[in-house]
Amino acid sequence: MKQILNYMKKLVLFCGVFILLMSFTSVNYSNKKAFYGGFTSMTIDTLFKDRISIRAIVVDKNKVWYGGDNSRFGFYDLDKKEKFEEHIYRDTLKLEFRSIAQTSKDIFLLSVANPALLYSVSKKDHKVKLVYKEINPKVFYDSMQFWNDKEGIAIGDPTEDTFSVIVTRDGGETWTKLLSDKLPTNATGEAAFAASNTNIVIKGNDTWLVSGGKKARVFYSPDKAKTWKVVETPIVQGKTMTGIFTADFYDSKQGFIAGGDYENPDKKMDNKAFTKDGGKTWELIGQEMGFGYASCVQYVPGGNGREIICVGSEGIQYSQNGGENWTQLSTDSKFFTIRFVNRNTAIAAGYNKVVRLNFK
């Protein structure tokens, strides 16, 4: 009997400890879930307004650098609340910079259309230097990114039968165009869109390029543009202004592509897709939900690949379940591009303004 009582006491003690541990586990889980619980509101602070179109921004610590139309570039200092702006004059050309990228020392700006002009701008003294020039009636560069301080890549529409891809291996001092036989062949009418400088996504050595037009595909390189594979996607395609306009990856496996039909911006079918295997396969999501035409999508930092922000024809939209459902945070459809400063702060730019978004 005494042995039974001792056994019962041990059993009760064990159950108490187990329940206590479970309660701690539940509390920890709840806290973690609360962190990923999603935003419920957003405020907008206007940083500056001007007669300018901005589709390319990059965050450099306390500065937001931008490339714009009419040969303009500059930055806004978030600490000093001041704007610096300069022009790059090239003969009588009015350059439009829709691609921007950075190293630790320089900002790089690449113009669209013919001639394509790529400039480096020193972060220290703002000295401007032309580092690449390409003349061709078909030239049109869409996006640019760096893998590291030495190696970078830019993508443009085909001048032959493949994407125009230029790379640097010396920190942006010189750029070389890849030969067509080193790249997958584009379909007739397949190109890219310079909507928000998000046609290129880089994670480590992995690189993804996205296309639109008659085909909407994803081009993947595991080795910083040395070799390539191409994957079909279910995104709407077949017309000049259909396809993938923007892409982002949360990590090397989780990615999201969006776009649609620019000429039918309210159409919400076949314009969003995700991958969980690094871009090998893509699956449509959010059919008839959220936005139509998308200009830029970005994963929310710390969102575990579940939280996404989109700017486009439906204003600013937010998903906290990987793109299945969307909440409209703003009806302003004049934003073209967005980048996060941290989890709760992002910078958005577009038609005549640059703003700071504060998520709560």
Side-chain angles (χ1 to χ4, degrees), residues 190-262:
E190 180 183 21
F193 298 111
S196 58
N197 195 39
T198 50
N199 295 105
I200 301 172
V201 184
I202 285 172
K203 292 291 177 184
N205 293 340
D206 294 324
T207 310
W208 297 268
L209 314 179
V210 296
S211 71
K214 295 301 177 72
K215 282 282 191 178
R217 300 192 292 176
V218 174
F219 296 67
Y220 169 70
S221 171
D223 49 17
K224 293 185 285 190
K226 294 181 178 68
T227 61
W228 294 90
K229 293 181 180 179
V230 61
V231 174
E232 302 284 339
T233 79
I235 294 290
V236 60
Q237 53 200 278
K239 297 193 298 182
T240 303
M241 298 303 292
T242 58
I244 308 167
F245 283 75
T246 176
D248 196 21
F249 271 75
Y250 185 78
D251 51 33
S252 62
K253 296 298 182 183
Q254 299 179 85
F256 195 86
I257 53 176
D261 187 342
Y262 185 81

Side-chain angles (χ1 to χ4, degrees), residues 45-276:
D45 300 328
T46 300
L47 301 181
F48 70 84
K49 289 186 176 181
D50 198 353
R51 292 178 62 85
I52 191 170
S53 176
I54 299 174
R55 295 179 179 271
I57 60 174
V58 65
V59 177
D60 174 37
K61 299 175 183 175
N62 63 310
K63 293 183 176 68
V64 181
W65 289 83
Y66 63 88
D69 60 353
N70 291 323
S71 302
R72 289 176 289 179
F73 77 93
F75 64 79
Y76 184 86
D77 191 310
L78 296 171
D79 292 340
K80 297 180 180 178
K81 299 180 181 179
E82 295 176 349
K83 182 181 76 164
F84 165 85
E85 187 170 280
E86 189 58 85
H87 292 71
I88 297 178
Y89 294 105
R90 184 78 179 187
D91 301 324
T92 58
L93 297 172
K94 286 188 176 182
L95 304 176
E96 183 170 1
F97 300 111
R98 296 196 185 187
S99 299
I100 192 170
Q102 67 173 326
T103 61
S104 59
K105 295 181 179 180
D106 299 300
I107 295 292
F108 293 85
L109 299 156
L110 177 56
S111 67
V112 297
N114 184 33
L117 301 172
L118 174 53
Y119 294 92
S120 66
V121 180
S122 169
K123 291 182 180 180
K124 185 177 181 180
D125 59 13
H126 308 153
K127 185 178 179 181
V128 176
K129 178 182 177 182
L130 180 65
V131 293
Y132 180 78
K133 180 179 180 179
E134 184 176 341
I135 298 175
N136 190 301
K138 296 181 179 180
V139 72
F140 196 102
Y141 278 92
D142 305 281
S143 188
M144 178 170 52
Q145 298 287 344
F146 271 77
W147 291 287
N148 51 54
D149 253 10
K150 290 294 184 182
E151 298 172 290
I153 180 174
I155 173 184
D157 293 347
T159 55
E160 297 179 23
D161 58 355
T162 68
F163 271 133
S164 296
V165 177
I166 58 174
V167 296
T168 181
R169 309 287 184 188
D170 59 6
E173 286 293 318
T174 60
W175 294 75
T176 303
K177 189 169 185 177
L178 298 185
L179 298 175
S180 291
D181 60 6
K182 300 294 184 181
L183 293 162
T185 302
N186 285 53
T188 301
E190 180 183 21
F193 298 111
S196 58
N197 195 39
T198 50
N199 295 105
I200 301 172
V201 184
I202 285 172
K203 292 291 177 184
N205 293 340
D206 294 324
T207 310
W208 297 268
L209 314 179
V210 296
S211 71
K214 295 301 177 72
K215 282 282 191 178
R217 300 192 292 176
V218 174
F219 296 67
Y220 169 70
S221 171
D223 49 17
K224 293 185 285 190
K226 294 181 178 68
T227 61
W228 294 90
K229 293 181 180 179
V230 61
V231 174
E232 302 284 339
T233 79
I235 294 290
V236 60
Q237 53 200 278
K239 297 193 298 182
T240 303
M241 298 303 292
T242 58
I244 308 167
F245 283 75
T246 176
D248 196 21
F249 271 75
Y250 185 78
D251 51 33
S252 62
K253 296 298 182 183
Q254 299 179 85
F256 195 86
I257 53 176
D261 187 342
Y262 185 81
E263 295 173 330
N264 293 284
D266 298 329
K267 187 178 179 182
K268 300 176 182 179
M269 287 284 290
D270 304 340
N271 66 328
K272 320 168 193 73
F274 71 95
T275 182
K276 289 188 176 181

Side-chain angles (χ1 to χ4, degrees), residues 9-25:
K9 286 179 182 178
K10 289 180 180 179
L11 184 62
V12 170
L13 181 62
F14 173 78
C15 289
V17 171
F18 178 77
I19 291 169
L20 186 62
L21 286 172
M22 285 302 292
S23 67
F24 278 128
T25 302

Side-chain angles (χ1 to χ4, degrees), residues 300-319:
V300 178
N304 205 28
R306 301 293 292 164
E307 295 178 80
I308 307 168
I309 292 287
C310 172
V311 298
S313 62
E314 304 287 333
I316 301 174
Q317 297 264 338
Y318 165 64
S319 175

